[in-house]
Amino acid sequence: MKIAGLDIGTTGCKCTVFDEQGRYLNKAYRDYPVRREVGGHEIDILALLEGVYAVIREMAAQYPDIAGIGVTSFGETFIMTDEEGMPLHPAMLYTDSRGGEECLALTEQLGARNIAHITGVRPHEMYSISKIMWMKNHRPELYQAARHIFLMEDYVVYKLTGKARIDYSLAARTMAFDIHALDWSKEILDAAGVDRELFSACVPTGTMAGTILPDKAERLGLTAQTKIVSISHDQVAAAVGAGAFDGRVAVDGAGTVECLTPIYDRLPDIDCMYEGYFSVVPYVVPGTYVAYAFSYTGGALIQWCVENLAGKEMEQAKAQGISVNELLEKAYTDRQEGPSGLLVLPHFAGAATPYMDTGAKGAVLGLTTASTLAEIYRGCMEGVAYEMYLNYQALRGSGIRFEKLNATGGGARSAVWMQMKADVLNLPITALKTVDAGTVGSAMLTGVAAGIFTDLQDAAAHMVEETVTYEPRPDMHEKYMQVFARYRKVYEAVRPLV
């Protein structure tokens, strides 16, 4: 008997299969196109759905005894459909600029802090409700024809089971979900003029939606008894996959986006969260919450540096049989240890928390004719670490109490980067074996829902494996803090110029 985690991302989806002991077996991946134009950023939901079917079919061909599939997805993006779930329009991504005026109108009507206290998020146009309002105002014929409004998790669950179910954490990404009542907010939807009946029923994270529809089972090569589970927003699944279940541990998601995810044992201070644009999201353990503190460019900044500046070094690394990342890290540490002295503002794709400034730009300060690529590379790593420390400081008044970080994602493989983060944040960081914590978390919750594991602790004992813990070094923390005192002024200095 097997369990699978289906992770639906912005540009691609993957299905990862594990055995009944939680051991990784295999995965399938498909990408799909995203259209980014001046007028908007959109995705073809039918292409996404075909990608989902393709990865399930590929895994089912190898493992026909899959007992359950857990569905997790990226947030905010929604689709209006007819009764059968056929899309009525291309879906707007969270980066789409449409909905700004509607968000402002909703905020003026209800008050920004009132919205935050209801929904756990500070009003922003990236959330679904603003764009749904835009569709109602600008494409009223589509809104009138709509019989469902789905986000990606509940859309796929609906197509597989015929049940419209969305978990609390993904519903919270709409800015229309009441985090206290754990249901759609009548106040928000009435003010937005959006029909509550269009939305899926809200259920706890990891709830069994039902068995797969017979025609879908036959089409995908699954048994008619295969269970489909409504998992969560992808960041929540990653926190579960990192084995973080209470406030003592936070998660460092060291992927394309750098995300610090603390866990709260009770509702955090909403006013403190409001100031830093931090979300408050119901977590898998009843009565607990998570928050997202993130930078749009974590690993993406490192990739930018390598792809645009390290052509020669990539050839050298290939000849030596190592990664270019290892080569550049070694080139730096062979010459010196500690901060590079450069100040790299990692806002190459805009600023996320605590600013939420999409117009912000990146900057590299302190270059001289003696600066090397290894120093610039190191400076990029430091910039990401400093940005996380900035977020850590902004969260301190909200009720966080974590004593360590569990690190996932590709960045967790870099001992140099992990040690740097431990030194900057002055906290121990444990790297986990799995890079793909989202699919692990999805499979863990699926295993619990299917009765393979007794609870999440049992699932974690089988599926969460620690590798090495990096302890902070007080002397290095002091050196980094001397640089950070200058770093924290860079955004205010650079922003008026760009």
Side-chain angles (χ1 to χ4, degrees):
M1 187 162 56
K2 313 297 187 301
I3 51 177
L6 175 66
D7 187 0
I8 305 165
T10 310
T11 59
C13 61
K14 54 181 170 285
C15 184
T16 307
V17 179
F18 303 83
D19 68 13
E20 62 273 12
Q21 296 300 314
R23 292 184 291 253
Y24 167 83
L25 295 176
N26 205 350
K27 69 178 177 182
Y29 175 82
R30 295 291 188 282
D31 56 17
Y32 29 77
V34 172
R35 184 167 59 248
R36 300 183 189 272
E37 299 172 346
V38 175
H41 297 173
E42 298 177 336
I43 186 168
D44 180 352
I45 296 303
L46 291 181
L48 179 151
L49 190 62
E50 284 306 312
V52 165
Y53 290 160
V55 294
I56 294 175
R57 192 183 303 112
E58 181 177 337
M59 288 295 93
Q62 299 178 45
Y63 310 102
D65 60 337
I66 292 175
I69 301 174
V71 183
T72 185
S73 78
F74 64 104
E76 296 89 38
T77 298
F78 74 95
I79 187 72
M80 299 191 301
T81 78
D82 64 15
E83 187 61 46
E84 285 70 43
M86 283 299 295
L88 300 176
H89 60 94
M92 287 187 279
L93 294 173
Y94 72 95
T95 52
D96 196 298
S97 60
R98 289 171 290 182
E101 292 182 3
E102 286 75 13
C103 182
L104 180 60
L106 190 63
T107 302
E108 289 176 345
Q109 184 176 353
L110 295 179
R113 287 187 183 272
N114 180 40
I115 292 173
H117 277 268
I118 295 170
T119 66
V121 297
R122 182 168 173 170
H124 194 278
E125 65 193 52
M126 72 176 177
Y127 297 115
S128 317
I129 192 63
S130 301
K131 301 183 191 306
I132 294 170
M133 292 169 67
W134 186 95
M135 290 295 290
K136 184 179 180 183
N137 291 340
H138 294 269
R139 302 295 301 275
E141 74 285 359
L142 296 184
Y143 179 82
Q144 292 300 321
R147 295 297 175 266
H148 297 280
I149 296 177
F150 295 111
L151 274 69
M152 297 304 101
E153 170 206 75
D154 53 320
Y155 179 63
V156 170
V157 167
Y158 181 76
K159 296 298 289 186
L160 293 175
T161 68
K163 306 285 183 61
R165 305 285 187 270
I166 186 170
D167 95 289
Y168 298 156
S169 68
L170 191 65
R173 303 309 294 168
T174 63
M175 204 177 84
F177 179 78
D178 187 327
I179 61 170
H180 309 278
L182 299 177
D183 204 350
W184 300 112
S185 167
K186 184 177 186 302
E187 184 176 358
I188 299 289
L189 293 178
D190 284 352
V194 176
D195 185 0
R196 173 178 173 159
E197 297 305 312
L198 294 172
F199 292 92
S200 300
C202 298
V203 297
T205 295
T207 295
M208 186 78 67
T211 54
I212 192 167
L213 292 167
D215 65 314
K216 292 298 191 305
E218 182 177 359
R219 175 178 177 180
L220 300 178
L222 296 166
T223 71
Q225 289 73 46
T226 304
K227 297 176 175 64
I228 306 299
V229 184
S230 300
I231 299 296
S232 66
H233 184 222
D234 52 12
Q235 292 295 346
V236 163
V240 172
F245 303 127
D246 63 47
R248 293 172 297 175
V249 181
V251 181
D252 171 40
T256 302
V257 171
E258 180 79 14
C259 187
L260 174 65
T261 306
I263 298 164
Y264 295 85
D265 301 310
R266 61 184 63 86
L267 188 70
D269 186 315
I270 298 295
D271 289 316
C272 177
M273 307 298 274
Y274 178 92
E275 295 302 328
Y277 287 93
F278 301 116
S279 304
V280 179
V281 181
Y283 193 41
V284 62
V285 179
T288 66
Y289 301 83
V290 296
Y292 306 141
F294 62 103
S295 170
Y296 290 128
T297 51
L301 181 60
I302 307 305
Q303 185 177 6
W304 169 85
C305 182
V306 166
E307 290 181 350
N308 289 279
L309 303 177
K312 179 180 69 175
E313 287 74 13
M314 282 193 279
E315 291 297 323
Q316 293 173 349
K318 185 177 180 181
Q320 295 178 33
I322 60 175
S323 72
V324 67
N325 308 81
E326 292 175 276
L327 184 144
L328 290 170
E329 288 174 359
K330 187 174 185 302
Y332 182 89
T333 55
D334 282 350
R335 294 182 57 188
Q336 65 186 92
E337 187 178 18
S340 66
L342 299 180
L343 296 173
V344 178
L345 189 66
H347 299 168
F348 282 50
T353 58
Y355 306 113
M356 292 309 293
D357 179 3
T358 56
K361 301 292 190 296
V364 182
L365 306 179
L367 292 171
T368 72
T369 54
S371 296
T372 66
L373 175 59
E375 289 172 340
I376 296 172
Y377 181 87
R378 175 81 177 207
C380 289
M381 297 171 73
E382 291 169 358
V384 173
Y386 291 142
E387 195 76 353
M388 284 299 97
Y389 187 69
L390 187 79
N391 277 279
Y392 176 42
Q393 287 193 319
L395 284 166
R396 278 183 168 166
S398 68
I400 55 171
R401 66 177 186 92
F402 57 87
E403 303 161 355
K404 63 170 289 190
L405 295 171
N406 283 356
T408 68
R413 292 173 173 168
S414 169
V416 171
W417 210 4
M418 289 297 98
Q419 185 62 60
M420 178 193 298
K421 290 178 181 178
D423 292 338
V424 171
L425 273 72
N426 204 27
L427 289 168
I429 299 183
T430 299
L432 303 181
K433 183 177 181 180
T434 178
V435 170
D436 203 355
T439 51
V440 170
S442 182
M444 287 168 61
L445 286 161
T446 302
V448 172
I452 294 173
F453 304 124
T454 56
D455 53 28
L456 280 175
Q457 284 69 29
D458 181 31
H462 285 83
M463 300 186 69
V464 179
E465 184 177 347
E466 298 182 354
T467 57
V468 61
T469 296
Y470 301 88
E471 296 290 342
R473 299 171 294 182
D475 59 327
M476 294 304 298
H477 176 69
E478 181 60 32
K479 290 179 181 179
Y480 282 118
M481 289 304 96
Q482 292 173 10
V483 181
F484 179 75
R486 291 183 288 123
Y487 174 85
R488 66 187 310 161
K489 302 175 184 177
V490 173
Y491 171 76
E492 296 294 341
V494 170
R495 187 62 181 99
L497 304 178
V498 295

